[in-house]
Structure formats: C-alpha cells, structure tokens
C-alpha cells in the first residue's frame, strides 16, 4: 500500500505570504492529485500531475518522481485560500484507486 | 452546468436501519466512486464503478452496497452491518480512471446514526 504523508498538518499565514505544502509517498505512482476542501466539506480538484510542474493562477504544483515528492505552492496568499489541502496518489497498481493524505489545514489571516 | 449532486446534505438514522445515499452526475463520466471521510483520517474508498452495470469493492466495503444501473447514478446503501456508519460520505466521478483524469466531487452527505 502506498503511504502518503503531508506536511505541515496545520499552517497559519498572513495575507500575501508565499505558502508551500508538501506531499511524500512511498511507492511508484502514475498520477498525483492535489485537492482543496472548504469548511462546508465539498472538494475541488486543483491539479492532477504525473511529472514536472503545473500552474493555475496563484497555484503551482510540482512533482519529483525520483524523490517521490510533490509540493503545492500558493503565491500572494489570501484569506479565501483558507481550506484543507489534500494530496492523493494512485494506489495498488489500479487506475481507479487513490491513497489520500490526511490533509493540511491552511489558515490565512488578513 | 454539469456536476455531481449528493442528497441529502444531512441524514439522521437510528441504529439498525439501512439508509441509501444518493449520487447523480450529468458529466457523462464513466467512473464513479464513494469515499468515506472521518476526522483526522484521509478519504477511504468504499466502492467504485468503472462503467455502468459494473462495480468493485474498495478498501472498506464491508457493511455497504452499491448499484450502477444507470450511467448517471451510483447510490450507496449503508446497511445495519456497518459497525461505525456515522461519517461524511463523498461521491466522485471521473472521465476515465483516477490515474489519468481528474476527480469531480459532490458536496457530501453527513450521516449520523444514533
């Protein structure tokens, strides 16, 4: 089973700060997902990546396959970025199963 | 707008009763999933379906059942055999498998069993 570790568990930042959330996994994968969960519970997919780097607005996701590590960066953070950020990776050789990290709770203060 | 609809948002049941959670999507996605979320834990896969009339057990299928009679619908029944049914349940879909297509999630159903 692929273990997924996220760090930090909790992160508090001031508006405007640059934020990094890390995700490490234990075995080879075909894809890694970054998800955002707001207090109401709904989840939104931010990125799916298998190599390199992707950017969407103020969000950047990178993955290093050799080091089994991914980072999610938020530039110029804003209070509306406050949410739980979840990393998930493909698991058990299945194209349909994901193993999820426990999430990183981000709070951005004005 | 396309999306996934889960209903109801909150559900309360007495112990020993079966309960069915609804999940409908109009995204024309082949794959659908049910996940369970508990405080302090990552999401865990209950069941998934790659295509209509087919479904597979996930990591924690005991005490749950599903059906996939229509492409748009993937209801989850929490049976009385599920020992700890109180949880937040999330339905998701993807065009193909999660290994090569992003997931779309519903807003979840919070089930409380007393």
């Amino acid at each position: 089973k692929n273990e997924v570790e996220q760090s930090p568990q909790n992160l508090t930042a001031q508006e405007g700060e640059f934020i990094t959330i890390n995700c490490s996994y234990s075995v080879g994968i075909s894809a890694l997902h970054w998800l955002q969960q707001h207090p109401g519970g709904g989840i939104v997919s931010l990125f799916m990546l298998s190599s390199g780097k992707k950017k969407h607005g103020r969000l950047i996701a990178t993955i290093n396959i050799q080091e089994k590590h991914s980072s999610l960066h938020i530039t110029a953070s804003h209070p509306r970025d406050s949410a739980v950020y979840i990393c998930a990776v493909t698991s058990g050789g299945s194209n349909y199963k994901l193993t999820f990290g426990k999430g990183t709770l981000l709070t951005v203060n004005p | 707008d396309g999306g996934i609809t889960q209903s109801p948002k909150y559900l309360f049941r007495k112990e020993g009763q079966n309960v069915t959670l609804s999940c409908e999507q109009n995204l024309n996605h082949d794959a659908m999933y049910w996940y369970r979320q508990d405080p302090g834990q990552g999401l865990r896969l209950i069941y998934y379906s790659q295509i209509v009339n087919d479904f597979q057990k996930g990591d924690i299928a005991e005490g749950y059942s599903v059906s996939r009679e229509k492409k748009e619908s993937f209801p989850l029944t929490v049976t009385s055999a599920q020992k700890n049914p109180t949880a937040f349940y999330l339905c998701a879909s993807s065009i193909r498998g999660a290994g090569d297509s992003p997931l779309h999630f519903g807003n979840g159903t919070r089930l409380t069993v007393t």
Side-chain angles (χ1 to χ4, degrees):
Chain A
K1 186 174 165 72
N2 207 349
E3 301 297 328
V4 178
E5 296 290 335
Q6 287 187 235
S7 63
Q9 284 187 304
N10 295 281
L11 181 55
T12 299
Q14 289 300 121
E15 184 172 356
E17 286 184 359
F18 180 83
I19 287 161
T20 297
I21 298 170
N22 297 298
C23 175
S24 296
Y25 51 92
S26 56
V27 299
I29 63 169
S30 58
L32 181 145
H33 297 252
W34 280 104
L35 309 168
Q36 181 191 55
Q37 184 171 32
H38 278 281
I43 293 178
V44 174
S45 176
L46 298 176
F47 295 102
M48 188 193 73
L49 62 166
S50 55
S51 65
K53 176 180 174 178
K54 288 190 175 180
K55 183 174 188 292
H56 185 252
R58 296 179 294 106
L59 301 178
I60 303 166
T62 63
I63 188 168
N64 185 318
I65 295 295
Q66 286 72 31
E67 294 186 4
K68 296 185 176 60
H69 180 267
S70 176
S71 293
L72 177 68
H73 305 287
I74 304 175
T75 62
S77 59
H78 190 276
R80 65 174 175 267
D81 296 325
S82 298
V84 175
Y85 292 83
I86 300 169
C87 171
V89 301
T90 51
S91 171
S94 167
N95 201 39
Y96 290 85
K97 291 187 176 181
L98 294 174
T99 299
F100 292 78
K102 294 181 181 180
T104 294
L105 175 60
L106 171 65
T107 303
V108 182
N109 293 318
Chain B
D1 283 342
I4 298 182
T5 301
Q6 288 187 245
S7 60
K9 187 170 183 177
Y10 297 97
L11 192 51
F12 299 89
R13 280 293 182 272
K14 294 289 187 186
E15 197 173 312
Q17 293 179 332
N18 291 354
V19 59
T20 298
L21 281 59
S22 169
C23 177
E24 303 277 332
Q25 55 103 354
N26 60 2
L27 298 165
N28 200 33
H29 286 174
D30 281 322
M32 296 188 75
Y33 312 80
W34 273 106
Y35 295 100
R36 170 180 172 140
Q37 188 175 38
D38 294 284
Q41 294 194 40
L43 275 70
R44 292 181 290 168
L45 180 64
I46 304 172
Y47 269 97
Y48 67 98
S49 169
Q50 298 179 38
I51 199 164
V52 66
N53 291 323
D54 177 74
F55 51 84
Q56 312 291 334
K57 291 182 179 180
D59 299 318
I60 56 165
E62 185 175 348
Y64 299 98
S65 66
V66 294
S67 63
R68 185 86 187 276
E69 296 175 3
K70 297 186 297 181
K71 189 174 188 177
E72 314 81 65
S73 179
F74 191 41
L76 174 74
T77 297
V78 185
T79 75
S80 56
Q82 168 49 233
K83 295 192 181 349
N84 296 296
T86 294
F88 186 57
Y89 291 88
L90 285 152
C91 179
S93 71
S94 60
I95 295 174
R96 298 175 296 278
D100 53 18
S101 56
L103 295 175
H104 296 253
F105 284 85
N107 286 327
T109 293
R110 194 166 298 278
L111 173 64
T112 302
V113 177
T114 57

